[in-house]
Amino acid sequence: MKIKMPRWFYQLASPKWFYDITGMLLPWFGLAAILLLLVGSIWGLVFAPADYQQGNSFRIIYIHVPSSILAQSCYMMMAIAGAVGLIWKMKIAHVVAGACAPIGASIAVMSLATGAVWGKPTWGAWWVWDARLTAMLVLLFLYIGVIALNSAFENKASSDKATAILSLVGLVNIPIIKYSVEWWNTLHQPATFTVTEKPAMPPEMWIPLLVMVLGFYCFFAVVLMIRARIEVLEREKRSDWVKKVIENYGR
Amino acid sequence: MGSFTSFSDFIQMGTHGLYVWLSYGIALVIFIYNIVSAYLLKRQFFINAKRRLRREQGTI
Amino acid sequence: MNFLLSAIKRELLLVFRRRNDIINPLAFFLMVAVLFPLGVSPDPTFLSEVAPGVIWVAALLACLLSVDGIFRSDYEDGSLEQMLVSSESLLALVLAKVLTHWLVSGFCLAIISPLVAMMFFLPEQGYFALIVSLLIGTPTLSLMGAIGAALTVALRKGGVLISLLVLPLYIPVLIFGAGTVQAGAMGLAIQGYLALLAAILVLSLMLAPFAISAALKISVRS
């Protein structure tokens, strides 16, 4: 299976090119992340109107929803990067996939923790077996499996491929898990009050949410690039350009 | 100030101050954890790499 | 096809030479099920309420426990490597191994499950649902478990790792399987649940063998 891809796609496979281009992009993404997160959280905390039903506790939405979205898309990105690495034998894709796992797991923890905190004033308990929260918990388990497998191999090449296969299997399973958990939830506790699906959110509520989602993505890109760059250096440490980078570091 | 009448009202968030600030605190901690752990990885790599490079150049 | 049959014959012969492989998952299944009345309460109404979930969880753990060894002995004596380089189809070999594992674990569990159901006072109308849901659900467990086993076969500490990898993937089967038994015990229609279990089985039967053989290639060449 050989599919013709555009030129930048093959350039991406060059570690040095990847290192240079991410070095150029990194400050811009960092700046965007700081700005978006600051603007979004101040807007959400101070200027967005309080919810008529939940009062001010609804302001947790500006953390909970972006982290849930990011945790899911991070898993998707990890699996797709793994597939690219398997199909085109591209090492950089495996590097990116490996860097996704710990970030995604921490973001899933954030989503679960803020969901639990939000549950206390809304449902009266720190943990409720709500379909979304349970599905997020399973996603965290999938991340833990990927991280555990990734660290179990001594050989980098087989660790890369094995984790790619596992995350692809997980990706296929995620829709099935979500569906089964939702179905299980309706069976056991009908008509729970869903938090995130408001009939119509006014723009002064959802615009800051959008800003926060973008900020979370930029933040993810920043941490991902930092981690991936170190991993590239680690893997290419015998090459001359990395030796030059090491020599110039800290001068 | 925004949708609040006073600063203390903003801190208390109606009656939900604990929950709102706790979740923003959790988010902040996880953000900082991500940045710091990535930074520590970077520092560790460069410390090890410099040491290795010096050793290699010393033997030649 | 011929190769598939002869591979199945070989696997079954191997299993019959080590009869413990059949007995152990079954004994484990019984013991885990017995822990619940001892640990929680022997009250019949409580037990009949939790029976579907407990029996399914015990069956799932028994499958998980035995799937770890599915490729292990062939990997250790080097015959797995021979099979990978031979001209015979790897997919057929994988299917034979998974099928044998299912016959030894899931199939036998389904056969003895009425015994546990009786101890848990499951209403009699739920017995059929229990056996059929185990028969349709456990092959999926064997297939998914074999992916984990293939990924970890070359690793020394495979045992705990495989449960971390595989347990999250077992959740849909557990939900629909226990749901079938619950519906059956209440005298409701179970066709819909069985159709869902069968759909998951067909999907995993189509995709899992490829994942297993890819994982085996990685493990053996590492």
Side-chain angles (χ1 to χ4, degrees), chain A residues 91-111:
Chain A
K91 276 183 202 158
I92 292 292
H94 287 304
V95 168
V96 169
C100 277
I103 310 172
S106 73
I107 299 293
V109 168
M110 189 195 290
S111 159

Side-chain angles (χ1 to χ4, degrees), chain A residues 46 48 59 106 219 234 249, chain B residues 3 13 24 31 34 45 50:
Chain A
V46 183
R59 294 178 199 280
S106 73
F219 176 81
E234 184 75 48
Y249 179 76
Chain B
S3 46
M13 288 275 162
Y24 277 78
F31 275 138
N34 267 302
F45 169 76
K50 286 224 164 191

Side-chain angles (χ1 to χ4, degrees), chain C residues 56 63 67 95 98-99 101-103 105-107 110 131-146 170 173 197-198 200-202 204-205 208 212:
Chain C
W56 254 97
C63 275
V67 86
L95 275 178
V98 172
L99 186 68
H101 174 260
W102 176 71
L103 283 175
S105 63
F107 182 70
I131 298 173
V132 176
S133 71
L134 280 174
L135 282 178
I136 302 182
T138 46
T140 312
L141 301 184
S142 296
L143 282 163
M144 302 260 196
Y170 277 1
V173 181
L197 280 177
I200 297 180
L201 173 58
V202 169
S204 50
L205 199 56
I212 299 167

Side-chain angles (χ1 to χ4, degrees), chain A residues 142-154:
Chain A
L142 289 174
Y143 273 123
I144 291 174
V146 169
I147 293 170
L149 185 69
N150 202 7
S151 59
F153 282 89
E154 279 161 26

Side-chain angles (χ1 to χ4, degrees), chain C:
Chain C
M1 205 61 216
N2 265 338
F3 175 68
L4 183 64
L5 285 179
S6 63
I8 292 173
K9 215 180 273 172
R10 169 184 176 269
E11 295 298 325
L12 281 178
L13 199 67
L14 278 175
V15 166
F16 279 109
R17 294 219 181 108
R18 295 178 314 227
R19 283 189 198 87
N20 276 350
D21 284 9
I22 308 179
I23 307 292
N24 288 352
L26 296 181
F28 180 82
F29 174 60
L30 282 175
M31 284 182 200
V32 169
V34 165
L35 292 182
F36 282 85
L38 291 176
V40 193
S41 153
D43 174 37
T45 49
F46 165 76
L47 283 181
S48 70
E49 200 175 307
V50 296
V54 168
I55 298 173
W56 254 97
V57 168
L60 186 149
L61 291 178
C63 275
L64 180 70
L65 190 82
S66 54
V67 86
D68 183 35
I70 184 171
F71 301 114
R72 176 94 42 203
S73 61
D74 277 346
Y75 175 75
E76 275 164 4
D77 66 16
S79 49
L80 194 60
E81 210 171 339
Q82 296 296 317
M83 292 168 193
L84 284 185
V85 295
S86 79
S87 59
E88 302 292 358
S89 157
L90 183 57
L91 285 182
L93 177 87
V94 163
L95 275 178
K97 283 207 167 284
V98 172
L99 186 68
T100 317
H101 174 260
W102 176 71
L103 283 175
V104 171
S105 63
F107 182 70
C108 295
L109 290 176
I111 300 288
I112 66 154
S113 64
L115 187 67
V116 181
M118 197 184 63
M119 289 160 70
F120 274 76
F121 308 101
L122 187 76
E124 268 170 31
Q125 47 194 354
Y127 278 46
F128 176 72
L130 178 66
I131 298 173
V132 176
S133 71
L134 280 174
L135 282 178
I136 302 182
T138 46
T140 312
L141 301 184
S142 296
L143 282 163
M144 302 260 196
I147 300 178
L151 285 171
T152 55
V153 70
L155 301 173
R156 240 173 273 283
K157 45 180 178 179
V160 188
L161 191 59
I162 187 173
S163 25
L164 283 184
L165 309 187
V166 168
L167 274 179
L169 306 176
Y170 277 1
I171 287 170
V173 181
L174 172 70
I175 290 175
F176 293 129
T180 316
V181 186
Q182 259 163 6
M186 285 190 284
L188 303 173
I190 55 167
Q191 288 91 334
Y193 301 78
L194 293 180
L196 281 169
L197 280 177
I200 297 180
L201 173 58
V202 169
L203 186 71
S204 50
L205 199 56
M206 283 191 318
L207 298 179
F210 295 99
I212 299 167
S213 40
L216 279 180
K217 279 179 196 155
I218 292 164
S219 283
V220 168
R221 276 162 209 172
S222 71

Side-chain angles (χ1 to χ4, degrees), chain A residues 21-191:
Chain A
I21 198 93
T22 48
M24 253 157 49
L25 290 175
L26 200 49
W28 296 107
F29 273 94
L31 195 67
I34 293 171
L35 280 179
L36 287 168
L37 288 175
L38 270 181
V39 168
S41 50
I42 291 173
W43 196 342
L45 276 171
V46 183
F47 296 104
D51 186 71
Y52 70 102
Q53 243 180 345
Q54 300 179 41
N56 284 313
S57 73
F58 118 95
R59 294 178 199 280
I60 298 174
I61 202 176
Y62 299 116
I63 302 288
H64 179 68
V65 167
S67 56
S68 311
I69 295 174
L70 181 58
Q72 289 173 33
S73 25
C74 179
Y75 194 94
M76 222 178 283
M77 176 164 179
M78 180 172 77
I80 292 170
V84 169
L86 282 181
I87 296 170
W88 286 280
K89 309 226 181 319
M90 193 188 279
K91 276 183 202 158
I92 292 292
H94 287 304
V95 168
V96 169
C100 277
I103 310 172
S106 73
I107 299 293
V109 168
M110 189 195 290
S111 159
L112 282 173
T114 54
V117 172
W118 197 1
K120 183 66 183 164
T122 5
W123 295 314
W126 292 105
W127 179 261
V128 169
W129 290 93
D130 164 68
R132 290 155 192 270
L133 277 180
T134 312
M136 185 52 70
L137 187 62
V138 178
L139 185 69
L140 178 64
F141 290 161
L142 289 174
Y143 273 123
I144 291 174
V146 169
I147 293 170
L149 185 69
N150 202 7
S151 59
F153 282 89
E154 279 161 26
N155 178 350
K156 271 264 163 68
S158 39
S159 146
D160 284 345
K161 287 184 209 150
T163 5
I165 289 180
L166 182 68
S167 40
L168 278 173
V169 171
L171 187 69
V172 173
N173 268 279
I174 282 177
I176 304 173
I177 292 172
K178 281 194 97 154
Y179 172 72
S180 68
V181 168
E182 259 162 38
W183 181 85
W184 158 84
N185 196 47
T186 51
L187 193 73
H188 288 272
Q189 37 181 180

Side-chain angles (χ1 to χ4, degrees), chain A residues 4-22:
Chain A
K4 187 101 175 106
M5 298 300 281
R7 189 161 141 255
W8 60 264
F9 186 78
Y10 293 102
Q11 278 180 327
L12 216 65
S14 143
K16 184 169 181 339
W17 193 83
F18 177 86
Y19 188 83
D20 291 344
I21 198 93
T22 48

